[in-house]
Amino acid sequence: MKLKKYFLIIGLSIFIGGCQKDPILDSIDQKIERVAKKYIIHGRTPGVIVGTIKNGETKIYSYGVADLKTGALIDEYTIFEIGSITKTFTGLLAAEFVLEGRFTLQDTVNKFLPTSLQLPSKNNNPIRWVHILNHTSGLDREPDDLDANEPFNYSESQMAAYLNRVNLLTTPGQQVLYSNSGMGLAGYSISKMTDSTYASLIDARIFSKLNMTYSFCNNQEKPLTNTAQGYYGNKPVDYFIMSDVFAGAGVIKSNMHDMLIYLDNLINPEVSVLKDAINLSLTSTVQIDESVNIGLGWFLGKTGNQQDIVFHDGGTKGFSSFIIFNKDKKTGVVVLVNSFCISEQVLIGQEIMQILNE
């Protein structure tokens, strides 16, 4: 199952205007409950957990169940797949290496890859680090020979063969084409450079530094208890298997406890141990249109009243996620859902963000 493309959904909603004012003058908590629970009531997902930050205050709202069979409830420690939000961690990891002088965003990626895994070029333009981190590499969304049952269980030799035969869709740096291949190769290139693994790098350089003690990358780290069951429709599905060449695109598993720590650091980078890397990852590298730019993995947008927001969503075969924040207003939202959604988690996050900023 392909990880979802989402900024077009955002363009149809959050950048055009706000939601209508609710005529009932109820509390923020009541409004948030109404927004989140309607997707459970309509049978679109078994469970939803929402985390918010507003002026330094953190709140968590949990609805539905983590598992339809057992009826287990969701709490802040329940583990979910976060899918493509992983890409923001890959961008943050890359920012750390740039700041350390290990490479520049304008360096060609091939300098750091083995000869068997060289990226193609087009019109004599090579793929640079900035291109695989902002979706302008020209690479396809994914290789054309993925296994439908385990699409991201893809070996280095398979990726090498694909890169050897593929023609880039566009000249690197010229057009935004969302690519799981590109972001996966960003994480893999860093791991090759350091003779390490993506999982160990993310753990040492981000999870440990931010005290995100429940988050992990490897499937074998999956806890025996308090793990949400993912669903595709009403069908339970296993966690994604993502090999090393795709890990940077969507491998991370986390919970609301840790994702709110991440969100707080993003909203308040000035007090974060990763201050400089966060600021670099949130710096625009390419413009999509008048309302949306891309940093290192992040989408940077403006609302209808020209407020700056940062966002990303994710989706696997059994889980959906969304994160959005406004540094100026010190507000942010994380949404975790234990089912594959087309856009529900994005709509939930948008509406709650608007409620926080009313």
Side-chain angles (χ1 to χ4, degrees), residues 233-252:
N234 291 322
K235 179 184 177 182
V237 294
D238 294 332
Y239 272 33
F240 252 4
I241 296 175
M242 299 197 77
S243 61
D244 291 343
V245 293
F246 271 113
V251 74
I252 292 176

Side-chain angles (χ1 to χ4, degrees), residues 173-316:
Q174 294 300 306
Q175 186 175 340
V176 174
L177 296 172
Y178 189 81
S179 176
N180 290 314
S181 299
M183 195 63 77
L185 286 165
Y188 195 58
S189 299
I190 294 174
S191 70
K192 283 291 186 180
M193 180 194 313
T194 57
D195 193 26
S196 186
T197 65
Y198 180 83
S200 61
L201 288 168
I202 291 293
D203 184 59
R205 287 178 164 266
I206 299 178
F207 294 160
S208 294
K209 290 181 180 179
L210 299 184
N211 293 317
M212 296 176 65
T213 56
Y214 299 94
S215 302
F216 60 95
C217 295
N218 297 325
N219 284 349
Q220 58 265 33
E221 296 179 77
K222 180 180 175 182
L224 296 176
T225 59
N226 209 0
T227 301
Q229 172 63 58
Y231 293 89
Y232 188 76
N234 291 322
K235 179 184 177 182
V237 294
D238 294 332
Y239 272 33
F240 252 4
I241 296 175
M242 299 197 77
S243 61
D244 291 343
V245 293
F246 271 113
V251 74
I252 292 176
K253 290 82 175 170
S254 189
N255 59 20
M256 188 56 70
H257 173 275
D258 279 9
M259 289 303 294
L260 284 175
I261 292 174
Y262 186 46
L263 180 61
D264 185 51
N265 278 266
L266 294 165
I267 292 174
N268 302 289
E270 65 278 1
V271 296
S272 173
V273 67
L274 296 178
K275 170 187 174 181
D276 293 335
I278 289 172
N279 286 332
L280 178 57
S281 73
L282 298 178
T283 300
S284 175
T285 60
V286 67
Q287 184 175 31
I288 298 178
D289 57 32
E290 292 182 358
S291 297
V292 188
N293 290 26
I294 304 179
L296 302 183
W298 284 105
F299 287 83
L300 318 172
K302 289 186 179 293
T303 62
N305 57 359
Q306 297 303 299
Q307 293 179 9
D308 291 325
I309 54 170
V310 183
F311 59 93
H312 209 298
D313 88 334
T316 64

Side-chain angles (χ1 to χ4, degrees), residues 30-324:
Q30 289 172 313
K31 291 179 181 179
I32 289 174
E33 179 177 358
R34 186 163 57 250
V35 169
K37 285 182 71 173
K38 66 183 176 183
Y39 294 96
I40 298 172
I41 293 169
H42 294 157
R44 296 178 184 175
T45 182
V48 177
I49 186 167
V50 175
T52 66
I53 295 178
K54 181 179 175 68
N55 297 326
E57 182 182 8
T58 298
K59 287 191 174 184
I60 295 175
Y61 308 83
S62 178
Y63 310 103
V65 296
D67 190 315
L68 290 171
K69 184 177 180 180
T70 67
L73 299 179
I74 298 169
D75 62 35
E76 65 178 301
Y77 299 105
T78 305
I79 296 292
F80 290 73
E81 290 183 329
I82 66 168
S84 283
I85 293 179
T86 299
K87 293 178 174 69
T88 70
F89 288 85
T90 302
L92 184 56
L93 180 65
E96 284 198 89
F97 276 78
V98 169
L99 292 170
E100 291 172 7
R102 301 292 292 272
F103 60 82
T104 73
L105 292 176
Q106 295 305 317
D107 280 339
T108 59
V109 183
N110 280 342
K111 289 171 56 178
F112 306 89
L113 287 171
T115 55
S116 61
L117 200 69
Q118 293 288 287
L119 306 185
S121 61
K122 190 178 183 70
N123 298 326
N124 294 318
N125 287 281
I127 295 176
R128 304 181 187 278
W129 280 99
V130 67
H131 301 146
I132 57 174
L133 292 165
N134 70 8
H135 302 291
T136 61
S137 67
L139 287 165
D140 291 293
R141 186 180 179 89
E142 294 101 16
D144 54 9
D145 59 343
L146 296 182
D147 185 322
N149 295 316
E150 292 186 350
F152 296 107
N153 189 10
Y154 199 73
S155 68
E156 179 181 322
S157 61
Q158 286 177 293
M159 181 62 78
Y162 161 71
L163 293 173
N164 188 54
R165 71 174 184 272
V166 71
N167 292 314
L168 295 181
L169 298 175
T170 57
T171 300
Q174 294 300 306
Q175 186 175 340
V176 174
L177 296 172
Y178 189 81
S179 176
N180 290 314
S181 299
M183 195 63 77
L185 286 165
Y188 195 58
S189 299
I190 294 174
S191 70
K192 283 291 186 180
M193 180 194 313
T194 57
D195 193 26
S196 186
T197 65
Y198 180 83
S200 61
L201 288 168
I202 291 293
D203 184 59
R205 287 178 164 266
I206 299 178
F207 294 160
S208 294
K209 290 181 180 179
L210 299 184
N211 293 317
M212 296 176 65
T213 56
Y214 299 94
S215 302
F216 60 95
C217 295
N218 297 325
N219 284 349
Q220 58 265 33
E221 296 179 77
K222 180 180 175 182
L224 296 176
T225 59
N226 209 0
T227 301
Q229 172 63 58
Y231 293 89
Y232 188 76
N234 291 322
K235 179 184 177 182
V237 294
D238 294 332
Y239 272 33
F240 252 4
I241 296 175
M242 299 197 77
S243 61
D244 291 343
V245 293
F246 271 113
V251 74
I252 292 176
K253 290 82 175 170
S254 189
N255 59 20
M256 188 56 70
H257 173 275
D258 279 9
M259 289 303 294
L260 284 175
I261 292 174
Y262 186 46
L263 180 61
D264 185 51
N265 278 266
L266 294 165
I267 292 174
N268 302 289
E270 65 278 1
V271 296
S272 173
V273 67
L274 296 178
K275 170 187 174 181
D276 293 335
I278 289 172
N279 286 332
L280 178 57
S281 73
L282 298 178
T283 300
S284 175
T285 60
V286 67
Q287 184 175 31
I288 298 178
D289 57 32
E290 292 182 358
S291 297
V292 188
N293 290 26
I294 304 179
L296 302 183
W298 284 105
F299 287 83
L300 318 172
K302 289 186 179 293
T303 62
N305 57 359
Q306 297 303 299
Q307 293 179 9
D308 291 325
I309 54 170
V310 183
F311 59 93
H312 209 298
D313 88 334
T316 64
K317 194 170 184 178
F319 293 88
S320 303
S321 57
F322 186 56
I323 182 170
I324 183 171

